[in-house]
Amino acid sequence: IGALGAALVLGFLFLDPAASESNASGTPVDAPQSWHISFFDARTTPATEAGSGDSAGLDLAFKGAPFVDFKDNAWYVLASAEVQTAGGYASITFEHTCDLEVVVDGHDVARVPHNGKLQTTVAKFTHAAGPVRILVQCHDGDGEFTLKYVG
């Protein structure tokens, strides 16, 4: 019954025409208090986690591989955070120079391939009021690596 209630709430939020007309772009989520950031060497299957830690922000930039034992263009970052939402349409925005995937509570909300330039991606989603788990995966591609939370 609880799952049915949650589905009805999410369905109403998704289908509510007033909500889509008033804020089709989504309300930006509040900045996460901290990000858990992990670095993976993608030369092995499965990829090998080389290190992780917590950071107050998400603003990464590397001209090459982040560690001497990593191979350039063969690694990725996994960053996760929890934010609170008021419910309804929401968004989270990243600048990146990588293959980017954004997952919200287990649901893919954005997949953007690397195009060789700095890109801005706004990932939009609907959610009931309360905590939301954001997971961002960014695979290094040609050139410099950038992954930054901007709003």
Side-chain angles (χ1 to χ4, degrees):
I1 293 177
L4 179 59
L8 288 173
V9 168
L10 288 175
F12 175 76
L13 291 173
F14 183 72
L15 298 173
D16 179 13
S20 62
E21 290 170 12
S22 65
N23 196 0
S25 62
T27 302
V29 299
D30 290 336
Q33 295 296 314
S34 71
W35 289 90
H36 183 75
I37 302 170
S38 300
F39 292 85
F40 289 85
D41 184 343
R43 292 177 293 176
T44 60
T45 304
T48 305
E49 183 175 354
S52 66
D54 294 328
S55 175
L58 181 61
D59 187 359
L60 304 173
F62 302 99
K63 291 188 188 256
F67 305 112
V68 294
D69 55 339
F70 272 28
K71 183 176 190 276
D72 197 22
N73 304 328
W75 59 278
Y76 65 92
V77 168
L78 195 59
S80 61
E82 186 172 286
V83 297
Q84 295 290 322
T85 65
Y89 292 93
S91 66
I92 188 164
T93 305
F94 299 95
E95 289 180 348
H96 58 96
T97 55
C98 59
D99 293 331
L100 181 78
E101 179 181 359
V102 181
V103 177
V104 175
D105 282 347
H107 302 283
D108 285 344
V109 295
R111 278 184 191 250
V112 181
H114 177 54
N115 70 1
K117 299 183 252 178
L118 182 65
Q119 297 171 247
T120 300
T121 295
V122 179
K124 302 172 189 174
F125 58 95
T126 58
H127 200 277
V132 175
R133 189 85 178 139
I134 307 288
L135 181 67
V136 181
Q137 188 166 323
C138 195
H139 285 261
D140 184 37
D142 293 334
E144 296 182 10
F145 175 93
T146 303
L147 175 59
K148 181 178 183 180
Y149 163 80
V150 293

